[in-house]
């Protein structure tokens, strides 16, 4: 096994090749050196750059969508048009390439307005404006490239949807798919869903997130039409398809597609998986998913993200991290994100630093263990949400 670019967490399992993963040539070089049976491309950057296509052209077996299929995440304008073409339920929206055009359209949105950068923005390209004044200001600065650079020079203006969010991820082999357990992310930086959006501050997963009917509606009205729509346009999707959903009173609607696993969704998903994950991916990479199963453990899981001071703005870096072994002794699993090792010390090296995760026989127990483990970890300026999973717990007290 090998990883690129890697971090001190994965380094415990695999040698790391710290190259820029956005350049296909770098990945080809590492692949030639390590001769892997299977390459899994994780993040959106290399997928959108066409690294899957480049590695396949060199004869490597790769799991991940092609550059063409990755457009579902690369451009929110493209993916909205795709959903509309195929009748996939989603919020009403307008694509705008000029500030004047966007400002004119505002009158069509009563109440809150969702403003989305067209391009990749690491979870920070969506602003929910409370009124026209805030929307005007956001549109002008986003389209001037001040908020998320060139990713924001074209935007989508979107109707605000009310409801609970669910992250629904499926493994696709180009034809068939299998569903991973649904999770709920917490996008805003502060408790109570306040403050700016982040890449995700924590997740939980349990069987209460979706009813059987909801799940079947999602598969019938969203998953199948998405894969069929892609196929009808000559695009095969082989990889993880992440569907960000809002469960509205009118049924599930798509907020976004990602063409990869989610962070921090995956931490919660993996803690519920009993086995079969690797073999399902290998089967999907061969276009042969039909007999694969991924059994789940009963119970629940949760992940609490520990972020650096300043995040989701410019994060403070190079603070010493302590307490991970103590957290893991309790039975939690601490996944690394923005960490690095220097002179024998583990240091912060990014906005989201660690994902402290735990499983339990109930959601309450999974959350208790995750938060007990969080209490053991420390670095200067550490911020985390204290209300991960509260909506899930409320569901039990209300029913
Ligand atoms: P996206 O990257 O499109 O998933 O948007 C990031 C986050 O913004 C979502 O996870 C939601 O919390 C929020 N969001 C996006 N679109 C909408 C919408 N139409 N209505 C309400 N919230 C939204
Ligand atoms: N947590 C949301 C994402 O991975 O895009």
């Amino acid at each position: 096994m090998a990883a690129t670019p890697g971090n001190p967490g994965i380094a415990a399992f695999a040698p790391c090749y710290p190259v820029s993963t956005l350049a296909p040539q770098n990945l080809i070089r590492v692949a030639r050196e390590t001769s892997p049976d299977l390459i899994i491309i994780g993040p959106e950057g290399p997928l959108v750059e066409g690294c899957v296509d480049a590695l396949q052209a060199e004869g490597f077996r790769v799991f991940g969508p092609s550059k063409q299929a990755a457009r579902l995440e690369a451009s929110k304008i493209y993916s909205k048009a795709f959903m509309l073409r195929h009748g996939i339920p989603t919020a009403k929206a307008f694509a705008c390439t000029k500030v004047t055009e966007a400002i004119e359209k505002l009158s069509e949105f009563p109440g809150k307005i969702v403003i989305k950068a067209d391009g990749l923005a690491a979870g920070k390209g969506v602003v929910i404006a409370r009124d026209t004044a805030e929307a005007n200001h956001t549109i002008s600065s986003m389209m001037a490239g001040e908020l998320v650079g060139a990713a924001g020079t074209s935007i989508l203006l979107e109707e605000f949807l009310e409801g609970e969010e669910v992250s629904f991820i499926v493994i696709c082999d180009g034809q068939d798919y299998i569903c991973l357990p649904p999770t709920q992310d917490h996008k805003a930086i502060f408790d109570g869903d306040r403050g700016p959006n982040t890449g995700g501050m924590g997740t939980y997963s349990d069987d209460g997130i979706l009813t059987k009917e909801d799940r079947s509606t999602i598969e019938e009205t969203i998953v199948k039409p998405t894969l069929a729509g892609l196929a009808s346009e000559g695009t095969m999707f082989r990889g993880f398809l992440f569907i960000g959903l809002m469960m509205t009173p009118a049924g599930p609607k798509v907020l976004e597609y990602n063409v990869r696993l989610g962070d921090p969704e995956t931490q919660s998903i993996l803690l519920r998986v009993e086995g079969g994950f690797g073999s399902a991916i290998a089967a999907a990479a061969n276009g042969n998913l039909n007999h694969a199963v991924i059994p789940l453990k009963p119970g629940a899981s949760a992940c609490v993200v520990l972020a650096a001071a300043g995040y989701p703005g410019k994060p403070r870096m190079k603070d010493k991290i302590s307490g991970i072994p103590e957290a893991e002794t309790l039975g939690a699993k601490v996944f690394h994100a923005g960490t690095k090792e220097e002179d024998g010390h583990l240091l912060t090296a990014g906005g989201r630093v660690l994902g402290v995760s735990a499983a339990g026989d109930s959601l309450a127990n999974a959350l208790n263990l995750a938060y007990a483990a969080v209490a053991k970890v420390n670095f200067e300026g550490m911020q985390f949400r204290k209300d991960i999973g509260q909506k899930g717990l409320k569901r039990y007290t209300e029913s």
Side-chain angles (χ1 to χ4, degrees):
M1 205 158 56
T4 173
N7 67 21
I10 204 163
F13 302 92
C16 296
Y17 292 78
V19 299
S20 160
T21 55
L22 292 180
Q25 281 314 316
N26 290 345
L27 299 188
I28 291 171
R29 218 173 338 106
V30 175
R32 284 194 183 133
E33 207 173 306
T34 52
S35 303
D37 296 326
L38 174 66
I39 301 171
I40 302 170
I41 309 267
E44 64 277 18
L47 294 168
V48 167
E49 290 301 319
C51 289
V52 169
D53 315 60
L55 285 160
Q56 276 171 342
E58 293 292 315
F60 293 104
R61 188 160 66 131
V62 193
F63 184 66
S66 63
K67 180 172 183 159
Q68 191 180 331
R71 280 187 304 172
L72 277 185
E73 178 164 358
S75 165
K76 292 209 190 275
I77 293 177
Y78 166 83
S79 74
K80 182 65 72 175
F82 171 85
M83 288 183 245
L84 296 177
R85 277 200 297 284
H86 297 286
I88 295 162
T90 186
K92 184 179 94 172
F94 289 105
C96 307
T97 51
K98 291 201 187 73
V99 174
T100 46
E101 176 191 24
I103 289 183
E104 251 168 52
K105 283 284 178 209
L106 284 182
S107 59
E108 298 191 25
F109 292 87
K112 290 184 192 165
I113 306 143
V114 184
I115 301 160
K116 298 188 171 184
D118 178 46
L120 295 181
K124 292 166 225 156
V126 176
V127 177
I128 298 173
R130 276 157 301 185
D131 51 35
T132 317
E134 195 185 338
N136 265 313
H137 176 74
T138 304
I139 289 168
S140 306
S141 48
M142 190 181 276
M143 295 186 86
E146 287 160 15
L147 294 188
V148 287
T153 51
S154 296
I155 61 165
L156 266 187
L157 288 185
E158 191 166 292
E159 163 200 15
F160 179 79
L161 296 177
E162 299 275 2
E164 288 229 8
E165 282 190 64
V166 174
S167 301
F168 198 82
I169 305 179
V170 295
I171 299 181
C172 307
D173 72 356
Q175 239 177 336
D176 291 329
Y177 66 90
I178 46 178
C179 303
L180 292 172
T183 51
Q184 186 167 71
D185 193 7
H186 298 65
K187 287 276 165 64
I189 182 78
F190 300 129
D191 286 6
D193 296 331
R194 288 176 304 108
N197 269 346
T198 67
M201 291 299 290
T203 49
Y204 72 92
S205 175
D206 74 349
D207 288 337
I209 291 185
L210 290 176
T211 62
K212 272 212 173 80
E213 292 86 70
D214 282 340
R215 190 176 162 129
S216 144
T217 308
I218 292 166
E219 289 193 49
E220 295 306 319
T221 67
I222 295 171
V223 178
K224 289 179 186 171
T226 299
L227 296 177
L230 286 166
S232 74
E233 297 182 5
T235 304
M236 183 189 70
F237 196 98
R238 185 172 284 173
F240 297 105
L241 179 64
F242 170 141
I243 307 175
L245 296 166
M246 190 68 93
M247 304 303 293
T248 77
K253 294 192 180 184
V254 179
L255 295 177
E256 67 164 345
Y257 293 110
N258 296 316
V259 296
R260 51 173 172 80
L261 284 168
D263 177 10
E265 281 83 351
T266 309
Q267 293 87 324
S268 283
I269 289 171
L270 288 178
L271 290 188
R272 291 198 66 198
V273 164
E274 181 78 65
F277 194 72
S279 44
I281 293 171
N286 290 336
N288 187 21
L289 198 50
N290 47 350
H291 295 302
V293 277
I294 300 184
L296 298 184
K297 293 178 194 155
S301 59
C303 169
V304 179
V305 168
L306 306 184
Y311 181 75
K314 194 172 182 305
R316 188 187 144 114
M317 306 267 210
K318 290 197 159 194
D319 288 304
K320 273 190 198 162
I321 303 169
S322 64
I324 294 180
E326 292 79 358
E328 295 207 315
T329 301
L330 294 179
K333 175 93 201 123
V334 180
F335 292 94
H336 290 233
T339 65
K340 72 168 178 184
E341 215 161 83
E342 224 174 70
D343 304 327
H345 295 295
L346 188 66
L347 305 178
T348 63
R352 290 183 296 166
V353 177
L354 297 166
V356 180
S357 312
D361 55 6
S362 66
L363 180 57
N365 286 343
L367 288 165
N368 285 341
L369 179 52
Y371 277 108
V374 165
K376 301 283 180 194
V377 180
N378 193 41
F379 54 85
E380 189 72 35
M382 173 172 120
Q383 41 170 351
F384 64 92
R385 279 183 60 160
K386 294 169 193 69
D387 64 346
I388 302 303
Q390 288 305 313
K391 286 184 199 158
L393 287 180
K394 217 164 140 209
R395 209 175 286 126
Y396 293 105
T397 52
E398 278 170 358
S399 63

